[in-house]
């Protein structure tokens, strides 16, 4: 049985469920989050405390009455602790962008793609991500996830690039090569699949299958 693993997965999903409305509507209360998410108030209270402690959320402003009981403290995305990195592997260029948890661009870079060989591409990506990571560290921010977009079909569960004809790739297991060449070596730090992440509007072209960054 995978009870512990399943519980951790459910917790991560629920934490993400709470973060989305706060991104969209800064200043929501715990009671409003419970109403909008469908989670119990006790679950919301526990998860919000974890998200506050982990630097994903912050309490800001004076307590306000939102019509759902006693006055509560507004919740906001904490943009001063964590950041994300997005990578686009296009046909002729590599693009890397750092964004805040609200999607604001903090740093961007673009370089011509030196070679289409997966190993060469991964090495170039690793160098660019390392430079982006240094920028975040200099700004006092913690890297919390890296998303990778490629112009082709990606297996949603494994992140394997099934077919990227313009790169000449077929069945390329990209993530182990990227994490192995990067200082962000934890495999969970990298995500490559078909789901669109919010930073797509900042960096990735519409022709790319865009990666999903690690969720809390």
């Amino acid at each position: 049985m995978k009870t512990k693993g399943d519980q951790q997965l459910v917790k991560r999903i629920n934490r993400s469920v709470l973060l989305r409305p706060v991104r969209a509507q800064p200043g929501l209360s715990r009671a409003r989050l419970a109403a909008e998410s469908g989670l119990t108030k006790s679950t919301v209270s526990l998860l919000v405390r974890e998200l506050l402690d982990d630097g994903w959320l912050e309490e800001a402003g004076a307590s306000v009455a939102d019509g759902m009981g006693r006055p509560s403290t507004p919740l906001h995305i904490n943009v001063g602790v964590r950041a994300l990195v997005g990578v686009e592997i296009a046909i002729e260029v590599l693009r890397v962008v750092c964004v805040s948890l609200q999607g604001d661009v903090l740093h961007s870079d673009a370089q011509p793609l030196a070679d289409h060989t997966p190993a060469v591409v991964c090495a170039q990506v690793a160098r660019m991500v390392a430079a982006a990571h240094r920028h975040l560290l200099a700004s006092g921010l913690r890297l919390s996830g890296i998303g990778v977009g490629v112009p082709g079909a990606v297996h949603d569960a494994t992140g394997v690039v099934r077919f990227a004809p313009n790169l000449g790739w077929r069945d390329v297991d990209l993530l182990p090569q990227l994490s192995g060449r990067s200082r962000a070596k934890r495999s969970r730090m990298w995500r490559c699949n078909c789901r669109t992440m919010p930073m797509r509007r900042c960096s990735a072209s519409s022709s790319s299958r865009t990666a999903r960054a690690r969720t809390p």
Side-chain angles (χ1 to χ4, degrees):
M1 296 180 64
K2 298 182 179 179
T3 304
K4 184 175 181 181
D6 291 343
Q7 290 175 343
Q8 291 300 313
L9 175 60
V10 170
K11 177 181 284 191
R12 287 184 61 195
I13 291 172
N14 287 341
R15 283 162 59 114
S16 295
V17 166
L18 296 181
L19 286 174
R20 291 190 190 103
V22 179
R23 286 193 185 104
Q25 305 176 63
L28 290 178
S29 66
R30 291 168 174 79
R32 185 66 65 180
L33 275 177
E36 295 200 5
S37 67
L39 300 175
T40 65
K41 290 184 178 180
S42 59
T43 297
V44 169
S45 179
L46 174 63
L47 294 179
V48 165
R49 173 45 53 194
E50 291 181 358
L51 290 168
L52 288 168
D53 292 342
D54 291 345
W56 293 92
L57 291 178
E58 64 178 348
E59 294 179 320
S63 297
V64 296
D66 63 359
M68 301 189 69
R70 64 184 183 181
S72 56
T73 304
L75 297 168
H76 297 260
I77 295 295
N78 189 344
V79 297
V81 176
R82 296 174 177 272
L84 305 171
V85 168
V87 179
E88 181 187 16
I89 302 174
I91 301 170
E92 298 179 347
V93 67
L94 288 177
R95 298 184 179 91
V96 172
V97 61
C98 300
V99 296
S100 72
L101 295 186
Q102 283 285 28
D104 298 317
V105 176
L106 307 174
H107 168 80
S108 63
D109 186 21
Q111 297 180 8
L113 189 61
D115 192 297
H116 284 177
T117 305
V120 176
V121 172
C122 289
Q124 188 174 356
V125 168
R127 290 192 297 271
M128 294 178 69
V129 168
H133 193 188
R134 288 193 295 271
H135 176 85
L136 293 180
L137 292 175
S139 301
L141 295 170
R142 185 190 316 169
L143 176 59
S144 294
I146 305 168
V148 184
V150 296
V154 181
H155 191 282
D156 188 53
T158 65
V160 172
V161 182
R162 290 302 192 193
F163 186 45
N166 292 324
L167 295 176
W169 291 4
R170 185 183 291 275
D171 294 327
V172 175
D173 197 0
L174 193 62
L175 296 187
Q177 297 186 58
L178 288 172
S179 60
R181 293 174 179 274
S182 169
R183 291 188 176 183
K185 292 183 180 298
R186 290 181 298 164
S187 60
R188 289 180 62 196
M189 183 69 73
W190 295 80
R191 290 289 183 271
C192 183
N193 57 31
C194 295
R195 299 183 182 176
T196 304
M197 54 190 302
M199 69 179 69
R200 179 186 182 121
R201 62 188 173 86
C202 302
S203 64
S205 70
S206 58
S207 63
S208 293
R209 291 289 189 173
T210 310
R212 180 183 60 181
R214 180 187 177 194
T215 51

